[in-house]
Amino acid sequence: MHADLSSVDRIAIAIAVSVISTLILLGAAAALFLDRHLTDLRGLANASFEGLVIAQENVVIDLNEKFAAMAGKAAAFLKGQPVEAVLAIERRLGIDTCQGAVWRDGQDMIPVEILARTIEYRGRECQVIAVRDLTERHEASRRIEHMARHDPLTGLANRREFDRRFEMAIAGAAETPSGLALFALDLDRFKLVNDTFGHAAGDAVLQRVAQVLVRTLPADVTIARMGGDEFCIILENASRQQTEALSADLQHAFAQEFADLATSSGFGASIGIALYPEHGVTDRRLRNNADMALYRAKSGGRGRACTFEAAMDIELHAKRQLEHDLRHAVAKGELFLVYQRIVDTSSQEPCGYEALLRWRHASRGVLAPADFIAAAEETGCIIPIGIWVLEEACSEAASWKAPLTIAVNISPVQFLMPNLVEQFSQILAKTGLQPDRLELEITETALFRDRAAVLSTLGQLRAMGIRVVLDDFGTGYSSLAHLRDFPFDKLKIDRRFLAGIGVDPTIRALFENVIEMASTLNLPVIAEGVETQEQLSILHASQPAQMQGFLFGKPEAAPSSRAPLKAIA
């Protein structure tokens, strides 16, 4: 179609594909051919994928069936109409080519590409016009553009589109007195939902989150999924009061939508808010400050909304510095263990110790796990730290004269290690500690993952002779189900039970019920946090198997460095 044709046969083939292209290329010769073979070629014209129109003096004198269908009118009606009444030219692309539209029923417009050439036909000038429907091409282009700018799972704007809109929103806010708010929203315990119910269920949750956001927020608000379980929201022309009201609406909507997941896994949403221009005038500064506010919301108990404050910048810097120092703590020998006594309730004699981690920080002094374990888990430092703690504790216990047990806490992150069982086996072999003297304390959080994998890991540990203790019982969401479904050797009741056991009859009744239930399941109970003689007297009545707390000794240096163990007076 882009070279001159030299024979009648080639002309006929070209007309069969696109009559108009032949006419444009051959000019008057094509017109004579059309005149002689008009009847035969009309069928070819009607078979064309393109609409064809012949006009004289800007009036339609003939057309094919394809063009009539595009215009939604009978051919007889279109003949005699001005070309402008059926075709609109919008943009010229070349000498003979332009873009335009076909008027359909006088109202709708179909986007088309138009090829036209003026030729001599029957002694008069004639316009031959080919019209190609671009609807499918435009729709495909629209879909590609939409995919490039939107998240395929939720249909929300993606990170690229968010960046574009946020830049525009800041530019607009700079020229008007109206405010601008940025929400950074992150899902609480979403990983646990993924691990417990599977990634398909996790995707369904993300879609539900998107629906809640769209349903709750005004239609002109930009909502974007930034990746994973992170979302950002741009509120333009929003005052601080409006921002806080919308934040409260979102929290309420999430609480209603995800009440089932909140009960079973603690799922929820935390929100960090930064305002323009109070908290920054650039997209980077506003993003950083919204993220800092989000971190404060999560660290304050999750499921909260928090607006940025200047003090958060100092906090974040301190957190980053702590994470940096933590990465080198093991290599620098700054970590050490202390041991707290666990006693037998009947004899009040020591039956074991719990190894407790401490960090001797260069500038902050001695830090307890509560000050740095969260940072260790977030950065992944908990893996090498956990291995060091286990080896150190096992090595210490192996040196004791009495065959007492050693209890070691295992982080949920560490519990997810695929080679966990192999690591423990190697450490026991290296230190020479008998497996039945090692007790691993895990919290319910470690159980929120693939049930089969958890059961397999617990089964392998117990098959080695290691005992598994469910720690912090009573603080989770489904403790009774865990006692039924997972194999444990002991149950450790959270210290908060004992804190109120002497003043609240309800807590005392609950404690006694737990002891009775554990006895039915043949599970020994460790009462943690015994600090007063009153608590001890109450415990003697309910008789847990073992006790632990300051009353029997504070955490201190390795027992092997002290005199032989004696009963508690």
Side-chain angles (χ1 to χ4, degrees):
M1 295 176 64
H2 300 286
D4 290 338
L5 301 177
S6 57
S7 68
V8 172
D9 290 336
R10 291 186 65 192
I11 293 173
I13 293 172
I15 293 176
V17 177
S18 176
V19 172
I20 185 56
S21 299
T22 303
L23 292 174
I24 291 173
L25 293 171
L26 297 183
L32 292 174
F33 184 82
L34 181 63
D35 188 34
R36 295 173 183 173
H37 304 280
L38 187 58
T39 302
D40 295 336
L41 294 180
R42 187 175 298 278
L44 292 174
N46 286 331
S48 173
F49 290 106
E50 300 170 344
L52 300 175
V53 174
I54 299 177
Q56 286 182 342
E57 296 181 355
N58 213 34
V59 175
V60 176
I61 62 172
D62 208 350
L63 63 151
N64 68 349
E65 294 175 357
K66 176 67 176 179
F67 186 86
M70 292 169 64
K73 299 286 185 180
F77 176 84
L78 294 171
K79 289 180 181 180
Q81 296 285 335
V83 172
E84 292 81 358
V86 295
L87 273 177
I89 296 176
E90 298 174 354
R91 183 164 65 97
R92 186 166 296 281
L93 302 176
I95 298 176
D96 302 317
T97 309
C98 58
Q99 281 188 348
V102 173
W103 292 104
R104 182 175 179 84
D105 295 331
Q107 296 180 347
D108 296 338
M109 300 181 71
I110 298 175
V112 294
E113 183 180 29
I114 301 170
L115 292 83
R117 173 67 65 84
T118 300
I119 64 172
E120 186 176 338
Y121 175 56
R122 293 185 177 179
R124 300 177 60 185
E125 282 192 350
C126 174
Q127 289 179 305
V128 183
I129 305 169
V131 181
R132 180 175 299 154
D133 192 341
L134 299 180
T135 301
E136 291 186 4
R137 186 188 300 178
H138 282 196
E139 179 61 25
S141 177
R142 188 197 66 78
R143 287 197 299 268
I144 292 172
E145 179 66 18
H146 185 274
M147 290 171 61
R149 295 178 179 272
H150 292 78
D151 171 50
L153 179 64
T154 63
L156 301 177
N158 60 15
R159 182 183 293 271
R160 173 190 174 191
E161 179 65 4
F162 169 83
D163 290 342
R164 186 184 71 85
R165 295 190 190 181
F166 196 29
E167 185 178 346
M168 292 174 59
I170 291 175
E175 298 177 357
T176 64
S178 59
L180 173 70
L182 174 66
F183 283 17
L185 185 147
D186 188 83
L187 304 182
D188 302 328
R189 302 188 185 278
F190 177 69
K191 187 178 187 305
L192 295 181
V193 174
N194 254 343
D195 291 341
T196 303
F197 304 107
H199 290 284
D203 287 348
V205 167
L206 291 173
Q207 290 172 332
R208 288 171 63 187
V209 168
Q211 291 166 7
V212 170
L213 294 174
V214 171
R215 188 168 63 240
T216 307
L217 296 169
D220 59 346
V221 168
T222 293
I223 309 170
R225 181 188 175 206
M226 308 300 284
D229 61 333
E230 300 176 13
F231 297 80
C232 276
I233 301 162
I234 305 171
L235 301 176
E236 299 184 66
N237 303 315
S239 66
R240 191 184 189 103
Q241 186 176 11
Q242 291 171 323
T243 299
E244 292 174 352
L246 279 175
S247 173
D249 290 344
L250 278 179
Q251 293 290 345
H252 179 69
F254 272 104
Q256 286 188 316
E257 176 71 22
F258 296 104
D260 54 335
L261 287 176
T263 301
S264 62
S265 65
F267 177 83
S270 296
I271 300 173
I273 304 170
L275 304 174
Y276 176 98
E278 298 172 54
H279 304 144
V281 295
T282 65
D283 55 353
R284 183 175 181 179
R285 173 58 64 181
L286 288 169
R287 284 289 307 277
N288 286 343
N289 289 346
D291 285 342
M292 278 190 268
L294 176 62
Y295 172 75
R296 167 69 70 84
K298 283 185 168 294
S299 61
R302 301 177 184 268
R304 302 170 60 244
C306 186
T307 302
F308 174 78
E309 297 173 2
M312 295 178 186
D313 203 359
I314 301 173
E315 282 185 22
L316 185 63
H317 177 75
K319 177 178 180 287
R320 296 287 183 257
Q321 185 62 49
L322 184 72
E323 292 173 351
H324 173 270
D325 296 344
L326 189 58
R327 291 187 179 94
H328 306 284
V330 173
K332 290 182 176 181
E334 296 175 345
L335 300 180
F336 65 99
L337 297 180
V338 293
Y339 299 84
Q340 186 171 36
R341 191 178 302 190
I342 301 173
V343 302
D344 179 85
T345 301
S346 299
S347 65
Q348 293 193 29
E349 290 188 357
C351 55
Y353 284 84
E354 180 181 2
L356 301 171
L357 178 62
R358 298 291 184 266
W359 179 13
R360 191 178 287 105
H361 191 274
S363 59
R364 301 188 184 193
V366 175
L367 302 179
D371 298 320
F372 61 87
I373 285 298
E377 290 179 336
E378 289 178 11
T379 59
C381 293
I382 194 64
I383 301 299
I385 289 175
I387 293 173
W388 178 87
V389 168
L390 184 63
E391 184 171 340
E392 188 76 7
C394 289
S395 179
E396 169 63 30
S399 69
W400 296 342
K401 297 177 182 179
L404 305 179
T405 60
I406 181 69
V408 179
N409 292 278
I410 301 299
S411 162
V413 176
Q414 188 180 2
F415 192 77
L416 296 175
M417 292 170 55
N419 62 340
L420 178 73
V421 176
E422 181 184 353
Q423 286 274 10
F424 281 25
S425 178
Q426 291 174 355
I427 289 174
L428 288 173
K430 180 179 179 179
T431 60
L433 183 71
Q434 292 300 311
D436 61 356
R437 293 180 57 196
L438 176 60
E439 294 183 351
L440 300 180
E441 296 189 359
I442 64 173
T443 62
E444 290 176 308
T445 306
L447 308 177
F448 289 130
R449 54 167 296 182
D450 179 41
R451 174 187 171 86
V454 172
L455 285 171
S456 175
T457 300
L458 291 177
Q460 292 178 69
L461 291 172
R462 297 182 78 231
M464 291 168 57
I466 298 174
R467 299 175 184 178
V468 182
V469 181
L470 179 59
D471 196 10
D472 295 340
F473 182 82
T475 61
Y477 298 94
S478 51
S479 300
L480 296 178
H482 290 153
L483 292 180
R484 180 194 64 199
D485 297 340
F486 297 96
F488 296 107
D489 296 287
K490 288 183 182 180
L491 182 65
K492 188 176 236 184
I493 298 180
D494 185 77
R495 63 178 61 249
R496 279 170 283 188
F497 265 94
L498 265 67
I501 199 170
V503 295
D504 190 335
T506 302
I507 292 180
R508 180 169 180 173
L510 285 172
F511 184 86
E512 292 173 348
N513 286 336
V514 169
I515 298 291
E516 183 178 352
M517 175 194 64
S519 177
T520 302
L521 296 172
N522 198 28
L523 274 178
V525 171
I526 307 173
E528 183 182 30
V530 184
E531 298 181 358
T532 67
Q533 286 293 338
E534 180 186 15
Q535 292 172 339
L536 182 61
S537 299
I538 295 173
L539 290 177
H540 274 309
S542 55
Q543 282 292 306
Q546 298 171 353
M547 298 182 293
Q548 179 182 354
F550 287 172
L551 186 64
F552 311 111
K554 295 182 178 181
E556 49 191 346
S560 60
S561 65
R562 300 201 311 266
L565 300 170
K566 297 180 180 179
I568 302 297

